[in-house]
Amino acid sequence: MRILIVEDSEDVAAAITAALGRAGMACDRAAGAREAQDYLAAETYDVVVLDIHLPDGDGRTILSDLRRAGSRTPVLMLTAELEVSSRVNALDAGADDYLVKPFDLRELEARVRVLGRRGDSAGSARISVGDLEFDQAARTVRIAGAAVALTRREVSLLGLLVARRDRIIAKEQILERLFSMDEDVGLNTVELYVARLRKKLAASSVSIVTHRGLGYQLTAPDG
Amino acid sequence: MRILIVEDSEDVAAAITAALGRAGMACDRAAGAREAQDYLAAETYDVVVLDIHLPDGDGRTILSDLRRAGSRTPVLMLTAELEVSSRVNALDAGADDYLVKPFDLRELEARVRVLGRRGDSAGSARISVGDLEFDQAARTVRIAGAAVALTRREVSLLGLLVARRDRIIAKEQILERLFSMDEDVGLNTVELYVARLRKKLAASSVSIVTHRGLGYQLTAPDG
DNA sequence: TCGGCGATGACAGGTTCGTGACAGGTTTGG
DNA sequence: CCAAACCTGTCACGAACCTGTCATCGCCGA
């Protein structure tokens, strides 16, 4: 899951990045309105976390520009004000959700996850494919009921594959969803994690199929 | 378990904090309505103890705001009035329980504990995992029938783990549930208590598994 | 058969955890 | 009221583990 955080405060941005990163989301951070516009033009994000107050502009402007451009990317607004008016403003401008500062990081994480799921058609937090059960919230994986130990990155990768089962995902897409911008990582890394995941899922009925030049695909027999 | 106490009287608040603290609950205190709103926006609580009479507003207002915002956090109201009307008011506004002042602190503790359990899916006050029995009310732990001496913090930690057995709990989550706002404690402390708990539970069949970068998980063989 | 993409073992670096020792604070018991 | 015992949280250091790069080899498709 790829997240853009638009927030001028260094500390707040770092805290959000850390929390979401721990939840397996790849976060890019823009410190201002202009930077945010650039990122949004260059990349596709699953969710945008947008501070309403920015040094070089208003978050609502970014939001309405984004919507005018036809983007439906879910946006969660951060507002410092408690007034009803500002939250009505935010929702009117096209935000999907809002949080009032100061907020609980876990709540932010939960809401971001909810928004991120909106994009996928997969609704539930617990998904089964073949004899494999994937619990997104608990970040646990079971094969025929038996727990499998995965690392953070492996869980993230499996989450991607499970969310788009039977569909082919390009390696570049996986890279983008797994790593943030400032993690300069080679494409080979994706192959590596696919290999590691395959090894750990060897006992399962699902398998990760390679499509040369296209990407990877998670499949289950009869599925 | 994380508790918010909204009470203007210094003495009463201190007494409640002490009593609940002794029972292993991490308590924050808000002296007024405004402060309460801020806390509620910033943190997630397992239970809110809410005085109906506040210097800068009515507790029922806070409550109905909270419910309108979609929160299901259990709320226990404190009321000085004996009339039926006020208790109906409280429950109508969305309170889960109420107590009439003056009240017995032990009764308050018991009711708060009951409300706290509502949030976890774990219904009973006595839970067993493997050969381990955990009694939340008495705060006692037994391994195959033999009592184990745990400190307050150790019991709280174990309670968290037991309530979410088999699920992975992030270290940050544990920290938030174990300590209140004004206890500024490092993440390392969680690791420490996990270590201490492991030592004391060495004789048990359950074990606390570390998932690097993800959190801890309580497991029992065959289950 | 050839070119190139993907798979995989080995490894170094960095991060996260585990744990003993210690100091401050609190409770307990006399 | 004092002292002893105990609970608490910090620090520091070492160990374990995760991560990503490299290099090599296999395998697919043309």
Side-chain angles (χ1 to χ4, degrees):
Chain A
M1 181 125 66
R2 190 77 182 283
I3 316 289
L4 178 64
I5 296 159
V6 188
E7 163 64 61
D8 56 335
S9 156
E10 189 78 41
D11 291 351
V12 176
I16 297 177
T17 303
L20 298 188
R22 186 168 290 278
M25 308 175 186
C27 301
D28 288 342
R29 184 238 174 168
R34 177 159 236 100
E35 206 177 333
Q37 308 269 24
D38 292 343
Y39 278 127
L40 286 167
E43 297 284 344
T44 307
Y45 294 95
D46 297 291
V47 178
V48 178
V49 176
L50 182 58
D51 193 346
I52 203 165
H53 176 71
L54 294 170
D56 57 346
D58 190 306
R60 280 166 289 200
T61 312
I62 299 181
L63 179 53
S64 46
D65 283 354
L66 191 68
R67 293 289 179 249
R68 227 190 340 262
S71 167
R72 292 173 164 259
T73 305
V75 171
L76 189 155
M77 283 221 117
L78 302 180
T79 161
E81 301 137 290
L82 283 164
E83 287 88 37
V84 178
S85 67
S86 84
R87 103 194 185 198
V88 169
N89 265 341
L91 295 179
D92 275 352
D96 299 87
D97 202 347
Y98 69 93
L99 268 180
V100 177
K101 287 188 188 178
F103 49 82
D104 185 308
L105 282 172
R106 279 169 310 143
E107 184 171 4
L108 176 67
E109 181 197 322
R111 294 193 183 214
V112 167
R113 189 161 37 230
V114 167
L115 290 179
R117 272 209 296 278
R118 194 177 288 186
D120 307 331
S121 52
S124 160
R126 197 173 296 154
I127 308 170
S128 333
V129 180
D131 58 5
L132 185 136
E133 290 167 57
F134 181 78
D135 188 326
Q136 200 168 18
R139 298 188 79 68
T140 56
V141 175
R142 294 168 173 281
I143 296 176
V148 183
L150 297 185
T151 72
R152 195 157 32 122
R153 288 264 136 96
E154 288 165 355
V155 172
S156 297
L157 172 58
L158 182 59
L160 274 182
L161 291 166
V162 161
R164 298 168 212 224
R165 53 177 294 195
D166 296 326
R167 292 203 291 163
I168 297 175
I169 315 177
K171 223 174 350 190
E172 288 80 1
Q173 260 181 54
I174 295 177
L175 198 71
E176 278 185 15
R177 292 280 174 284
L178 230 49
F179 302 93
S180 69
M181 233 165 202
D182 45 84
E183 297 174 287
D184 203 8
V185 164
L187 261 181
N188 178 255
T189 306
V190 174
E191 293 160 14
L192 213 186
Y193 276 104
V194 169
R196 284 176 177 161
L197 203 50
R198 275 180 177 146
K199 198 172 289 178
K200 292 199 178 178
L201 300 186
S204 161
S205 69
V206 307
S207 57
I208 303 171
V209 182
T210 304
H211 294 266
R212 295 202 148 234
L214 293 173
Y216 296 99
Q217 177 194 33
L218 187 81
T219 62
D222 305 326
Chain B
M1 183 128 63
R2 193 74 183 280
I3 316 288
L4 177 64
I5 297 159
V6 188
E7 164 66 58
D8 59 319
S9 156
E10 191 79 41
D11 292 350
V12 176
I16 296 177
T17 302
L20 298 189
R22 221 187 308 278
M25 307 176 188
C27 301
D28 292 342
R29 184 236 174 170
R34 177 159 234 99
E35 206 178 332
Q37 307 268 23
D38 290 346
Y39 279 134
L40 286 168
E43 296 284 339
T44 308
Y45 293 95
D46 297 298
V47 178
V48 178
V49 176
L50 183 58
D51 193 351
I52 203 167
H53 177 70
L54 294 171
D56 58 345
D58 190 305
R60 279 165 290 200
T61 312
I62 299 181
L63 179 52
S64 47
D65 282 351
L66 191 67
R67 292 290 179 249
R68 225 189 343 262
S71 167
R72 293 173 164 257
T73 305
V75 171
L76 189 154
M77 284 218 112
L78 302 180
T79 162
E81 302 140 288
L82 284 164
E83 293 92 64
V84 179
S85 68
S86 83
R87 115 188 177 198
V88 169
N89 264 341
L91 295 180
D92 272 353
D96 299 271
D97 201 352
Y98 69 94
L99 268 179
V100 176
K101 289 188 187 178
F103 50 83
D104 185 311
L105 281 173
R106 282 166 305 160
E107 184 174 359
L108 175 67
E109 182 197 321
R111 294 196 184 215
V112 167
R113 190 162 40 235
V114 167
L115 290 179
R117 273 208 299 280
R118 192 178 291 186
D120 304 331
S121 48
S124 162
R126 202 171 293 153
I127 308 171
S128 350
V129 181
D131 59 5
L132 185 138
E133 291 166 56
F134 182 80
D135 188 327
Q136 199 170 21
R139 298 187 73 70
T140 56
V141 175
R142 294 168 174 280
I143 296 176
V148 183
L150 296 186
T151 72
R152 189 162 40 111
R153 289 266 136 98
E154 288 164 355
V155 172
S156 297
L157 171 58
L158 183 59
L160 273 182
L161 291 166
V162 162
R164 297 168 214 225
R165 52 179 292 194
D166 295 327
R167 293 207 301 165
I168 297 174
I169 315 177
K171 223 169 358 186
E172 287 81 357
Q173 267 182 48
I174 295 176
L175 198 71
E176 285 181 18
R177 284 288 170 274
L178 231 48
F179 302 92
S180 69
M181 234 167 200
D182 44 81
E183 299 174 287
D184 203 8
V185 164
L187 264 180
N188 179 257
T189 306
V190 174
E191 294 161 16
L192 212 178
Y193 277 104
V194 168
R196 286 174 178 162
L197 202 51
R198 274 180 178 145
K199 201 171 287 178
K200 294 198 177 177
L201 300 186
S204 160
S205 69
V206 306
S207 59
I208 303 172
V209 182
T210 303
H211 295 265
R212 285 191 165 246
L214 293 171
Y216 296 100
Q217 177 192 35
L218 187 81
T219 61
D222 302 328

